Amino acid sequence: LFRSIIRYEASLDGGKTFAPGSPAVKSSPIVISGLGYAVKYTIAIRAVNSSGSGTASANKAVTTIKIPQTISFTQPAAMKIGAADQALVYSVSSGMLPTVTAATSKVCTLVAGKLHAVGAGTCTVTVSQPGNTMYAAATSIARKVTISK
């Protein structure tokens, strides 16, 4: 006697406990919400029909990923010593605050978040975002700026 599947249930602890899925979930893929980021789970799935729960699938070890984020950083214009400080234009896709550094302090520094020319040469400004429990670290972007007399 064949009975239709009513829903699927998922276990996040290797089949020890099962949480009911949505009654509307009758086919693949099964979405399991509420998982942590970069967390390892041992997942098993079982079907439920009017007679009860079926046999669980084999356990599958999976690790969730962190959400990727990217940085956009517009190339700053060349500057002259004594010029007005230059606003830096950048954004992070996650909306998280980045870290901005000027690596060549004898050539340039950051003053109130703006690029300040100190001496002639090449200045490297880097924007980075290390991520958190939800977001992966973004790839840092470094820009070289020429400072002249």
Side-chain angles (χ1 to χ4, degrees), residues 10-14 17 19 30-45 60-67 133-135:
S11 168
L12 303 178
D13 59 8
T17 58
I30 298 169
V31 176
I32 303 171
S33 60
L35 301 179
Y37 296 94
V39 176
K40 185 176 181 177
Y41 294 96
T42 303
I43 296 178
I45 305 293
K60 176 72 176 174
V62 297
T63 301
T64 57
I65 62 169
K66 290 185 177 187
I67 300 169
T133 57
M134 180 186 266
Y135 288 96

Side-chain angles (χ1 to χ4, degrees), residues 81-121:
I81 298 169
D85 292 349
Q86 181 177 174
L88 299 171
V89 179
Y90 52 82
S91 63
V92 179
S93 63
S94 66
M96 295 175 65
L97 291 176
T99 300
V100 183
T101 57
T104 323
S105 62
K106 291 182 179 180
V107 178
C108 72
T109 60
L110 297 173
V111 175
K114 293 183 177 182
L115 188 61
H116 176 76
V118 176

